[in-house]
Amino acid sequence: MTTAVIAGVGPGLGESIARRFAAEGCEVGLLARSGGYLDELVADLPTDAVGVATDLCDSADIAAAFDRVRDDLGPVDVLVNHASAASWTGLRDTSLDAFDRAYEVGPRADFLCSQAAVRDMLDEDRPADERGGTIIFTGATTSVRGREGAVGFSMAKFGSRGLAESIARELGPEGVHVAHAVIDGGILGPEVETDTPEEYLDPDAIADSYWHLVQQDRSAWTLELDLRPHVEEF
């Protein structure tokens, strides 16, 4: 049984990833600040799942969350680093607290979650043919092109992309597939009201692509995946 952890779950893409992975038979650990929302989602999934209210800025909270997932579901095989938190402000209007939070919820949390997951994936106590796994980073247009008026978000997404590329090169030879997804466009979600849905990415379709990354043969792994609506200019 595959155990997948999604760090940063909410209505929209995070929930779509959880539902897609559970539909494929994965046991799912869900990390987010909102415990009430997680309880409702866990109850609605078709496989064993655990929701852990987690402050991804807090290293002790992250460690405790992974311990809970291991205790309830077993060692982690798949990690999706999906959290982000940044104000859409420029240099002069961004406070140090807001900038720090963008880093802490972004690349710092990605780093801590990846360390925790890889300890399971490459645990020497696991049979050799069971070692390895997949780590997916949710990126954005600003992962590759800094956006005006978004210094915190741009910094955080650039940082997460660099982290993903570094650990992909480090851990790929040991059987850990690391992939970074550039989500180039707006994502449909419960809060989006639009008369032109074709201009947005469908979160369920993105989740399909994430599952494809998990299933890829190691002879043809994807490092970076670009996803955008067919009408998006790039």
Side-chain angles (χ1 to χ4, degrees):
M1 183 69 70
T2 297
T3 298
V5 170
I6 304 166
V9 180
L13 179 53
E15 181 174 323
S16 288
I17 297 167
R19 292 187 183 280
R20 182 69 169 92
F21 284 21
E24 294 295 338
C26 294
E27 296 181 334
V28 185
L30 307 175
L31 278 52
R33 292 182 64 91
S34 175
Y37 165 76
L38 291 179
D39 290 343
E40 292 180 6
L41 179 56
V42 164
D44 199 41
L45 294 177
T47 57
D48 288 341
V50 58
V52 187
T54 309
D55 181 356
L56 291 171
C57 293
D58 188 323
S59 59
D61 247 26
I62 291 173
F66 275 86
D67 284 343
R68 171 77 184 282
V69 170
R70 292 185 192 101
D71 289 344
D72 287 11
L73 305 177
V76 178
D77 304 292
V78 177
L79 168 66
V80 180
N81 284 315
H82 184 61
S84 65
S87 58
W88 291 87
T89 52
L91 178 67
R92 290 170 291 182
D93 296 322
T94 301
S95 69
L96 179 58
D97 285 346
F99 191 81
D100 285 346
R101 178 166 174 75
Y103 163 70
E104 290 168 356
V105 178
R108 182 177 183 272
D110 294 345
F111 165 75
L112 292 169
C113 290
S114 297
Q115 278 194 329
V118 167
R119 279 195 290 271
D120 286 0
M121 295 174 185
L122 299 181
D123 187 346
E124 292 184 356
D125 290 335
R126 298 182 74 168
D129 62 350
E130 294 181 10
R131 292 177 202 158
T134 305
I135 302 174
I136 301 172
F137 289 73
T138 296
T141 311
T142 48
S143 300
V144 296
R145 185 174 69 246
R147 176 171 178 162
E148 179 184 358
V151 294
F153 193 65
S154 298
M155 172 278 301
K157 287 303 183 183
F158 261 80
S160 292
R161 183 175 185 243
L163 176 65
E165 290 192 359
S166 179
I167 63 176
R169 291 176 169 87
E170 175 188 353
L171 300 180
E174 297 185 59
V176 178
H177 177 199
V178 181
H180 178 264
V182 176
I183 310 301
D184 186 18
I187 302 174
L188 282 174
E191 76 289 350
V192 175
E193 297 182 5
T194 179
D195 295 325
T196 55
E198 69 277 2
E199 295 180 357
Y200 290 80
L201 293 105
D202 183 332
D204 292 342
I206 300 173
D208 288 343
S209 292
Y210 278 29
W211 180 248
H212 172 68
L213 291 171
V214 174
Q215 292 293 99
Q216 281 185 329
D217 186 85
R218 65 178 58 194
S219 69
W221 275 347
T222 294
L223 172 60
E224 188 156 79
L225 178 69
D226 287 64
L227 298 172
R228 61 181 59 86
H230 71 283
V231 298
E232 182 79 15
E233 294 183 3
F234 63 98

